[in-house]
Amino acid sequence: MTDMSVMIGNLRLDSPVMPASGTFGDGLGQVMDIRRLGAIVTKTITRERRAGNPLPRVAETTGGMLNAIGIPSCGVEDFINRTLPHYTQWGTPLIVSISAPDAAGFATLARAVSIAGVDAIEANISCPNIEADGKAFAMEANATTKVVAALRAATDLPLWVKLTPNCHDMSVIARAAEAAGADAVVVANTILGMSIDTRTFRPRLGNVMGGLSGAAIKPIILRQTYQCARSVAIPVIGCGGITTADDAVEYMLAGAVAVQVGTASFINSLAMTDILDGLDRFCHARSITRVAALTGALRDATSPRCCDMDA
Amino acid sequence: MTDMSVMIGNLRLDSPVMPASGTFGDGLGQVMDIRRLGAIVTKTITRERRAGNPLPRVAETTGGMLNAIGIPSCGVEDFINRTLPHYTQWGTPLIVSISAPDAAGFATLARAVSIAGVDAIEANISCPNIEADGKAFAMEANATTKVVAALRAATDLPLWVKLTPNCHDMSVIARAAEAAGADAVVVANTILGMSIDTRTFRPRLGNVMGGLSGAAIKPIILRQTYQCARSVAIPVIGCGGITTADDAVEYMLAGAVAVQVGTASFINSLAMTDILDGLDRFCHARSITRVAALTGALRDATSPRCCDMDA
Amino acid sequence: MAHTIQHLSHDLYPEPGQEHATGVPVPPFHPTVAEEDATVLSNMAVNAQYWHLVIQASPLAAAASPGQFYQLQCPPAHGAIPYLRRPMSLYGTDTATGQIQFLYKVTGSGTRGLSTLVPSDTIRILGPLGKGYDLAGHLRHIVVIGRGVGLATLAPLAEAAHMAGIGVTAILSARSPELIVSADRFNMKGMSVIPVTDTQGNSDPAWIEQALRGLISADRCDALFTCGSSRLLRMLRALAVEFDLPGQVALEQQMACGLGMCFCCVRDFASAHGTVTRRVCLDGPVFDIRETLA
Amino acid sequence: MAHTIQHLSHDLYPEPGQEHATGVPVPPFHPTVAEEDATVLSNMAVNAQYWHLVIQASPLAAAASPGQFYQLQCPPAHGAIPYLRRPMSLYGTDTATGQIQFLYKVTGSGTRGLSTLVPSDTIRILGPLGKGYDLAGHLRHIVVIGRGVGLATLAPLAEAAHMAGIGVTAILSARSPELIVSADRFNMKGMSVIPVTDTQGNSDPAWIEQALRGLISADRCDALFTCGSSRLLRMLRALAVEFDLPGQVALEQQMACGLGMCFCCVRDFASAHGTVTRRVCLDGPVFDIRETLA
Ligand SMILES: Cc1cc2nc3c(=O)[nH]c(=O)nc-3n(C[C@H](O)[C@H](O)[C@H](O)COP(=O)(O)OP(=O)(O)OC[C@H]3O[C@@H](n4cnc5c(N)ncnc54)[C@H](O)[C@@H]3O)c2cc1C
Ligand SMILES: Cc1cc2nc3c(=O)[nH]c(=O)nc-3n(C[C@H](O)[C@H](O)[C@H](O)COP(=O)(O)OP(=O)(O)OC[C@H]3O[C@@H](n4cnc5c(N)ncnc54)[C@H](O)[C@@H]3O)c2cc1C
Ligand SMILES: Cc1cc2nc3c(=O)[nH]c(=O)nc-3n(C[C@H](O)[C@H](O)[C@H](O)COP(=O)(O)O)c2cc1C
Ligand SMILES: Cc1cc2nc3c(=O)[nH]c(=O)nc-3n(C[C@H](O)[C@H](O)[C@H](O)COP(=O)(O)O)c2cc1C
Ligand code: FES
Ligand code: FES
């Protein structure tokens, strides 16, 4: 059996597969063995209780889905008192995703969740639904530097920073996060999109715009993973449209150290363990003993070759 | 029959549907009645002869495709002498797409194609394959202003500016193009992406990265069309994943005056005329007499409604 | 279907007695909800609008109770490829054989895709999901009221009540008599069926309310059970409040995950602590009628 | 398939005599290449690797000549949804009935999808496309040399030559005898067939070259026709140059549009003006052997 462990900075994960924030809940534990995951990543929490966006909150698109869930949150107190004890039941490393409207708020919240049972913080500085018209910290290097520095000062926990694909050069943002003290970057959140119901002439989402996720976005986020991995020395965690073990391999070859699986779990609750099994088979068939050996193992583009009917 | 005509600035098109640059060739005239198109948009040309990118040049993805064709070009002289006479045979307005490595080069080329038979220039300031790592003029407002101003000074023809989705706020770029004298913006070119062959550990494209197009990108470009249409007064031409008449309606409701169809024609050579027929039926069924009435007719998002089994 | 069938994906689970990487023996994992490729046994139109689907699944998948639902992966149809799964109520189940039945109405791309299934096709399912109807609490006689395809959800409930020795009156509403698809399912000894239809002009909530008031005063309504229709729901809630009757309703909401993970299926409810937001997939789909809003 | 069938999409074309918006009568449009939904008549495995597909199409679609090809929309299979169409050579056609045949090898998602087609399914096709083989020029006896599924392209050519009174020697190469799928198609009166296989050890280009040299010196080879295999192509090009023989080869290249629009199928060729780039879909797929490079 392949050695599935990977290191995200100083944090050792037993396997490179974990859920993407906002796509995991303990309901999944009824179907799938949570203990096999490299980590659990919580839905993003905020300091205050929040309601989330108006309905409808999801819309289906070709090969993907739009969501404008918003960040409905029970608030950090409730999270610590009620959710946290629940999420530590499997003994799987727990990553708490946090969001706030400004750098100081991020720092305060990071401090609040820097407690026993939490293994790392994932700063969601990229959620496209909170600010008007989809703006987010991670769209600009300066804002990224500011918020990550404040977070770094606030916590000793490993700090993962989740970036937004809605920017024109993510490697610049990744470098800013690295310089400000991030231990890893997560590439990436959803891509801002929209859908219209032509029968009603209305947006299909209550929030008008929402985040595109699922298989459709894989080529885009894979490219950004590749660009970031070439730009920073800290680990890159790939996340976008990963549905099969082959997708996970693509991300790792492009430079990801680990992967997060989101929407795919909605379509196949066993997606994450299927991917783990597939990774094991993939490595086994190629005599690769450690899954970590896949990271960055991309070869050069082939030179032109013509197709051939030779059997 | 619905009045299908639309105005792009001063240019009247008999129908709102036209091919996207690089996805049209006279081969299509064997299958489809070119005369029904609102316009013909040529493959982007450059001043010099160019070879284009190494093979493989396309890769299939979920709901879309990546291309890294590059801009193989016969050069502007050959284009004027040989291609142009050919493309005027249908009497359909002809839009010539141009590209150059700098603002001066754009201006020179625009001057060269400002001749009889050409009805407008589409400046492809967004092609992600030319510059290293996918950079393009249309990623930054300053570069956009500079190149569009140079183009404006160089030609009296209607000037369409084709933007790139690989930016974090397209409305800023669109406003820069408008201020510098563009008559319309085309939203948008392909989204930079990547795909890896896990059997060979190599990129699936000879160029490593390429542009994602097709149904998968529709929600993203539709959103950008909506954002641009709210930001500029000049017409927005929508382009990205349009496959059916319903898709075209979505773009028009979001604010597009006309649409371009690219990849869909590869999958259904009659895509453009099917869309025209569908638009006509759509309008007819709703007693809409002019297709132009769809532009920007989006209503507000619905308030939460629960699903109901009432028959 | 690219999906591995369930038992395959368990190949590498640590078996009892096996050691984990840490050296500590890990107890085996036993799912309580099944994610699996089931096999289509039959799929037939029962009238112009409704289809009846029977699948062969595992005992775990089939161990469902009335009001619970499944997420079904719908095959592509007419060029549209449904990406998300579609929620469908349990219409019938046989735990011994692992057969599960659904009754569905073709309304959009997903259900259109379902209607293309033929015997021996595989269909990916997740379930049983959610909280079903609760028949506990010394009920002697209940009334189930449903309309259209909502009857799909109520049919197994009526049967379960009947098996538990509870009397059932079923008010079955539809546009026209031939659309009362499950009448036979309610036709058990001792069950009384009141069909009401638009064409007969007796499907109006006001008419049904009268019938219910009759049943209540005749002491033949310890509890109300309904499903789906908001017009009926409003009327039933008012009655439940007026007579302090327990009542349960199965609600519908658009769903992405079905497992309480995505928060797209939320709805507001009245509770002792004021208005609360609940997930229909996890906290329901069956709720206390008196707590429903809207 | 969401696609409207071809004649429907012509509904709104201005008919002859109708006026265009401008008031000038517009001549009707007559396509020379068909984009249409054809119907599957049969689709069967012919051996462990190859499948034979027969479809019912329009006379326009069926009016193809050997070496031409079609773009086929492949149905989803095993969760993979082929987005682009796949190019397939004409294997046989009957212009009178509109039946078209293909012979294909299952290699990836697209061809796997094709293999799921059953009679009466519809399949979206575009064709005939490209330039086929040219049999003009007083040929008396030709040699066709193909391997594996490449024989699919050569079978109709051999037949066409036979019908035109041209003698044909067919060298059919495959891994093993049972994989020479189309042997029967080459079994006409006056055609001579030389099967060569890896298992028999006579499929080596060197062996075939000897056979060809024999045919050339016996004046039974006015022209060479081949398809696909680059090992054979190199040997044939050398022979063609040595003996100044005309030769034609059908090439393969990945294709997106099939109509010369996308420039993904380009290949370099030698020409009088030096190396030129050509699109395999539009300028080929059949090319002069001596102009091929690589
Ligand atoms: C718990 C539950 C049980 C259900 N049981 C049944 C049943 O037994 N029989 C039956 O015919 N229908 C049932 N429904 C409704 C069924 O899920 C929808 O008819 C179906 O999702 C429509 O999908 P579509 O693609 O055909 O329609 P579309 O309108 O194309 O669907 C578009 C999107 O909206 C969602 N959607 C549309 N209508 C509904 C709806 N009424 N409820 C929830 N989501 C919807 C779809 O899931 C999809 O995401 C149930 C719904 C829920 C929530
Ligand atoms: C003009 C022409 C005629 C052909 N005629 C036949 C025929 O009669 N019978 C037959 O079995 N095959 C034929 N082929 C090859 C056939 O097109 C490929 O086998 C098929 O496209 C593979 O698709 P896939 O999805 O199964 O494989 P995948 O490997 O999954 O395909 C991935 C991508 O690569 C492309 N691709 C893979 N192999 C080839 C290839 N050899 N040629 C071109 N594109 C390829 C596919 O189209 C697709 O875009 C022909 C190819 C061309 C260009
Ligand atoms: C329903 C839904 C809710 C999400 N909520 C969050 C969230 O709270 N915080 C966050 O950082 N990302 C959130 N995401 C984004 C995912 O974590 C992930 O970045 C994205 O979906 C891309 O991965 P995927 O294609 O595998 O789904 C959400 C995505 C979905 C679909
Ligand atoms: C094969 C191919 C070649 C293209 N070449 C060009 C080009 O030369 N110039 C350009 O501006 N856009 C080019 N594009 C982008 C298209 O014009 C269009 O913007 C993009 O494909 C999105 O539209 P679609 O999803 O309808 O294809 C090309 C796209 C494809 C698929
Ligand atoms: S459907 Fe995802 S939480 Fe209910
Ligand atoms: S396949 Fe598009 S040009 Fe040949």
Side-chain angles (χ1 to χ4, degrees):
Chain A
M1 206 167 153
T2 318
D3 175 357
M4 284 291 181
S5 68
V6 296
M7 296 298 294
I8 312 287
N10 293 327
L11 185 64
R12 182 182 185 278
L13 306 183
D14 281 347
S15 103
V17 177
M18 65 189 102
S21 175
T23 66
F24 178 83
D26 53 357
L28 200 58
Q30 302 175 296
V31 197
M32 197 206 64
D33 190 352
I34 308 287
R35 299 166 299 179
R36 297 190 61 206
L37 301 178
I40 289 172
V41 183
T42 70
K43 170 92 187 154
T44 300
I45 60 160
T46 55
R47 190 142 72 117
E48 320 290 342
R49 175 179 287 275
R50 286 168 53 99
N53 286 328
L55 268 59
R57 289 180 170 186
V58 301
E60 186 170 79
T61 67
T62 302
M65 65 178 275
L66 287 165
N67 89 77
I69 305 292
I71 312 242
S73 170
C74 54
V76 67
E77 257 180 67
D78 223 61
F79 174 79
I80 290 171
N81 297 331
R82 303 203 314 171
T83 316
L84 196 57
H86 208 69
Y87 274 179
T88 50
Q89 69 177 283
W90 300 281
T92 309
L94 184 69
I95 321 299
V96 176
S97 170
I98 62 170
S99 177
D102 51 32
F106 260 108
T108 313
L109 188 52
R111 224 173 277 122
V113 298
S114 294
I115 56 179
V118 178
D119 297 283
I121 288 174
E122 181 175 292
N124 174 9
I125 63 166
S126 57
C127 183
N129 297 325
I130 303 178
E131 324 277 344
D133 231 38
K135 293 280 183 309
F137 297 91
M139 282 184 180
E140 273 161 359
N142 286 346
T144 302
T145 302
K146 197 176 155 210
V147 68
V148 176
L151 281 162
R152 184 68 295 167
T155 183
D156 290 330
L157 281 179
L159 179 60
W160 301 1
V161 175
K162 186 164 176 187
L163 305 181
T164 176
N166 304 302
C167 63
H168 84 270
D169 189 352
M170 199 192 277
S171 54
V172 172
I173 313 289
R175 277 195 298 267
E178 177 179 42
D183 294 300
V185 287
V186 181
V187 178
N189 215 306
T190 52
I191 306 180
L192 201 60
M194 183 173 175
S195 176
I196 297 171
D197 187 336
T198 56
R199 284 169 312 166
T200 61
F201 284 36
R202 293 184 199 280
R204 281 192 191 274
L205 294 175
N207 191 50
V208 182
M209 291 188 255
L212 187 65
S213 65
I217 69 170
K218 195 191 70 175
I220 302 168
I221 312 294
L222 179 71
R223 179 261 302 178
Q224 291 177 328
T225 298
Y226 173 73
Q227 290 176 318
C228 285
R230 291 197 304 169
S231 306
V232 296
I234 54 175
V236 173
I237 299 166
C239 174
I242 297 170
T243 309
T244 64
D246 231 50
D247 297 336
V249 172
E250 278 192 79
Y251 270 89
M252 295 189 75
L253 294 176
V257 171
V259 295
Q260 295 185 345
V261 177
T263 311
S265 291
F266 298 171
I267 289 162
N268 170 19
S269 310
L270 302 177
M272 288 187 283
T273 46
D274 282 355
I275 289 171
L276 278 172
D277 295 343
L279 279 176
D280 182 56
R281 282 193 300 271
F282 183 92
C283 290
H284 191 76
R286 285 161 187 77
S287 306
I288 296 168
T289 53
R290 297 169 43 247
V291 75
L294 294 175
T295 297
L298 182 70
R299 301 199 184 120
D300 287 344
T302 25
S303 52
R305 249 188 346 189
C306 57
C307 302
D308 202 315
M309 274 196 197
D310 274 354
Chain B
M1 206 168 154
T2 318
D3 175 358
M4 284 291 182
S5 68
V6 295
M7 296 296 295
I8 312 287
N10 292 327
L11 185 64
R12 182 181 186 277
L13 306 184
D14 282 346
S15 104
V17 178
M18 66 188 101
S21 175
T23 66
F24 179 82
D26 53 357
L28 199 57
Q30 302 174 296
V31 195
M32 197 206 63
D33 190 352
I34 308 288
R35 299 166 300 179
R36 296 190 62 206
L37 301 178
I40 291 172
V41 183
T42 69
K43 170 92 187 153
T44 300
I45 61 160
T46 56
R47 190 144 72 118
E48 320 290 339
R49 175 180 287 275
R50 286 169 54 99
N53 285 329
L55 267 58
R57 289 180 170 185
V58 302
E60 189 171 76
T61 68
T62 302
M65 65 177 275
L66 288 165
N67 90 78
I69 305 292
I71 312 241
S73 170
C74 55
V76 65
E77 256 180 67
D78 223 60
F79 174 79
I80 290 172
N81 296 332
R82 304 203 314 173
T83 315
L84 196 57
H86 208 69
Y87 275 178
T88 50
Q89 69 177 282
W90 299 282
T92 308
L94 184 69
I95 320 299
V96 176
S97 170
I98 62 169
S99 177
D102 50 32
F106 261 107
T108 313
L109 188 52
R111 223 172 280 123
V113 297
S114 295
I115 55 178
V118 178
D119 296 283
I121 289 174
E122 181 175 289
N124 174 9
I125 64 167
S126 57
C127 182
N129 297 324
I130 303 178
E131 325 277 343
D133 232 36
K135 294 278 185 309
F137 296 91
M139 283 184 180
E140 274 161 359
N142 286 345
T144 302
T145 303
K146 198 176 153 206
V147 69
V148 176
L151 280 162
R152 184 68 295 167
T155 182
D156 291 330
L157 280 179
L159 178 60
W160 302 0
V161 175
K162 186 164 178 186
L163 304 181
T164 177
N166 304 302
C167 62
H168 83 270
D169 189 352
M170 199 191 277
S171 54
V172 172
I173 313 288
R175 277 197 297 268
E178 177 180 41
D183 295 300
V185 286
V186 181
V187 178
N189 215 305
T190 52
I191 307 180
L192 202 59
M194 184 172 172
S195 176
I196 297 171
D197 187 336
T198 56
R199 285 169 312 165
T200 61
F201 284 35
R202 295 183 198 281
R204 281 191 191 274
L205 294 175
N207 192 51
V208 181
M209 291 187 255
L212 186 65
S213 64
I217 69 170
K218 194 190 70 175
I220 302 169
I221 312 293
L222 179 70
R223 179 262 301 177
Q224 292 177 327
T225 297
Y226 173 73
Q227 291 175 318
C228 285
R230 291 196 303 170
S231 306
V232 297
I234 54 175
V236 174
I237 299 165
C239 174
I242 297 169
T243 310
T244 64
D246 231 48
D247 296 337
V249 172
E250 278 193 79
Y251 270 88
M252 294 187 76
L253 293 177
V257 171
V259 295
Q260 296 185 345
V261 177
T263 311
S265 292
F266 297 171
I267 288 162
N268 171 18
S269 310
L270 302 177
M272 290 187 282
T273 45
D274 283 354
I275 288 171
L276 277 172
D277 296 343
L279 279 176
D280 182 56
R281 282 193 299 270
F282 183 92
C283 291
H284 191 76
R286 286 159 186 80
S287 305
I288 296 168
T289 54
R290 296 170 42 248
V291 75
L294 293 175
T295 297
L298 183 71
R299 301 200 184 119
D300 287 344
T302 23
S303 52
R305 246 185 348 186
C306 59
C307 301
D308 202 316
M309 273 198 194
D310 274 354
Chain C
M1 297 286 128
H3 305 121
T4 324
I5 57 172
Q6 196 198 11
H7 61 87
L8 276 184
S9 53
H10 285 244
D11 270 347
L12 301 173
Y13 277 32
E15 290 297 322
Q18 279 195 327
E19 307 275 299
H20 209 234
T22 56
V24 187
V26 177
F29 171 70
H30 295 297
T32 56
V33 170
E35 167 83 51
E36 65 186 39
D37 286 332
T39 305
V40 173
L41 294 175
S42 72
N43 185 35
M44 285 186 302
V46 291
N47 62 33
Q49 297 192 344
Y50 304 128
W51 287 68
H52 183 210
L53 169 67
V54 185
I55 62 172
Q56 176 65 56
S58 69
L60 175 61
S65 63
Q68 286 192 296
F69 70 100
Y70 296 80
Q71 287 276 76
L72 306 186
Q73 181 72 59
C74 306
H78 304 285
I81 301 154
Y83 187 72
L84 298 170
R85 302 199 263 203
R86 305 295 195 251
M88 283 296 155
S89 297
L90 177 79
Y91 178 53
T93 183
D94 184 334
T95 325
T97 62
Q99 292 187 7
I100 309 174
Q101 299 176 49
F102 301 97
L103 184 75
Y104 62 96
K105 182 171 168 184
V106 174
T107 58
S109 62
T111 45
R112 196 155 44 234
L114 278 187
S115 71
T116 67
L117 287 170
V118 295
S120 91
D121 279 355
T122 54
I123 173 170
R124 184 74 169 193
I125 66 164
L126 169 69
L129 297 168
K131 297 198 173 52
Y133 292 104
D134 184 357
L135 283 174
H138 310 295
L139 299 170
R140 287 163 306 135
H141 199 106
I142 65 171
V143 181
V144 305
I145 308 110
R147 180 170 165 89
V149 80
L151 302 177
T153 313
L154 295 169
L157 171 72
E159 280 164 4
H162 184 74
M163 304 291 278
I166 304 169
V168 178
T169 302
I171 304 180
L172 311 182
S173 170
R175 280 224 195 120
S176 52
E178 72 279 10
L179 293 178
I180 302 188
V181 275
S182 321
D184 55 321
R185 293 281 300 271
F186 295 92
N187 247 341
M188 298 192 190
K189 221 175 125 197
M191 249 192 238
S192 51
V193 173
I194 309 177
V196 297
T197 60
D198 301 358
T199 47
Q200 291 168 293
N202 57 357
S203 63
D204 199 61
W207 194 98
I208 297 176
E209 181 176 342
Q210 280 325 110
L212 278 170
R213 287 184 181 275
L215 289 165
I216 293 168
S217 60
D219 197 20
R220 294 185 61 79
C221 180
D222 293 346
L224 296 162
F225 292 84
T226 187
C227 171
S229 163
S230 21
R231 285 195 312 160
L232 285 177
L233 174 56
R234 276 188 294 272
M235 180 269 288
L236 294 171
R237 186 178 48 202
L239 276 187
V241 169
E242 179 179 340
F243 294 97
D244 195 22
L245 276 178
Q248 296 171 35
V249 58
L251 295 175
E252 294 190 1
Q253 201 67 289
Q254 192 185 15
M255 293 182 180
C257 73
L259 277 172
M261 311 195 286
C262 74
F263 287 84
C264 82
C265 63
V266 295
R267 234 179 122 121
D268 284 343
F269 293 87
S271 85
H273 319 287
T275 300
V276 294
T277 302
R278 292 188 183 133
R279 287 163 288 182
V280 171
C281 70
L282 197 77
D283 304 318
V286 175
F287 294 92
D288 184 331
I289 275 188
R290 284 167 298 183
E291 297 194 347
T292 58
L293 298 173
Chain D
M1 295 287 130
H3 304 121
T4 325
I5 56 170
Q6 195 198 13
H7 60 88
L8 276 184
S9 54
H10 284 244
D11 270 345
L12 300 172
Y13 277 30
E15 289 296 323
Q18 280 196 325
E19 307 275 298
H20 209 233
T22 56
V24 187
V26 178
F29 172 69
H30 295 298
T32 55
V33 170
E35 167 82 52
E36 65 186 38
D37 286 332
T39 306
V40 173
L41 296 175
S42 72
N43 186 35
M44 286 185 302
V46 292
N47 61 34
Q49 299 192 342
Y50 305 128
W51 286 69
H52 183 210
L53 170 67
V54 185
I55 62 172
Q56 176 65 56
S58 69
L60 176 61
S65 62
Q68 286 193 296
F69 70 101
Y70 296 79
Q71 286 278 74
L72 305 186
Q73 181 74 60
C74 305
H78 306 285
I81 301 154
Y83 187 73
L84 298 170
R85 302 199 263 203
R86 305 296 195 250
M88 282 297 157
S89 297
L90 177 80
Y91 179 54
T93 183
D94 184 334
T95 326
T97 62
Q99 293 187 6
I100 310 173
Q101 299 178 50
F102 300 97
L103 184 75
Y104 63 95
K105 183 173 170 183
V106 174
T107 57
S109 62
T111 45
R112 196 154 46 233
L114 278 187
S115 72
T116 67
L117 288 170
V118 295
S120 91
D121 279 355
T122 54
I123 174 170
R124 184 74 168 193
I125 66 165
L126 168 70
L129 297 168
K131 297 198 172 52
Y133 292 105
D134 184 357
L135 283 173
H138 310 294
L139 299 169
R140 287 163 305 135
H141 201 105
I142 64 170
V143 181
V144 305
I145 308 110
R147 180 170 166 91
V149 79
L151 301 177
T153 313
L154 295 170
L157 171 73
E159 280 165 4
H162 185 75
M163 304 290 278
I166 304 169
V168 178
T169 303
I171 303 180
L172 311 182
S173 170
R175 280 222 196 121
S176 53
E178 72 280 10
L179 293 178
I180 301 187
V181 275
S182 321
D184 56 322
R185 294 281 302 269
F186 294 91
N187 247 340
M188 297 189 190
K189 218 174 130 201
M191 251 194 236
S192 51
V193 173
I194 309 177
V196 297
T197 61
D198 300 0
T199 47
Q200 291 169 293
N202 58 357
S203 64
D204 198 59
W207 195 97
I208 297 177
E209 182 176 340
Q210 281 325 110
L212 279 169
R213 287 183 182 275
L215 288 164
I216 293 167
S217 59
D219 197 20
R220 294 183 63 80
C221 180
D222 292 346
L224 296 161
F225 293 83
T226 188
C227 170
S229 161
S230 21
R231 283 195 312 160
L232 285 177
L233 174 56
R234 275 189 294 273
M235 180 268 288
L236 293 172
R237 186 178 48 201
L239 275 186
V241 169
E242 179 180 339
F243 294 98
D244 195 23
L245 278 177
Q248 296 171 35
V249 58
L251 296 175
E252 294 190 1
Q253 202 69 288
Q254 192 185 14
M255 293 181 180
C257 73
L259 277 172
M261 309 193 287
C262 74
F263 286 84
C264 82
C265 65
V266 294
R267 233 179 122 121
D268 284 342
F269 293 87
S271 85
H273 320 285
T275 301
V276 294
T277 302
R278 293 189 182 130
R279 287 163 288 182
V280 171
C281 70
L282 197 77
D283 304 318
V286 175
F287 293 92
D288 185 329
I289 276 189
R290 283 167 300 183
E291 296 194 348
T292 58
L293 298 173

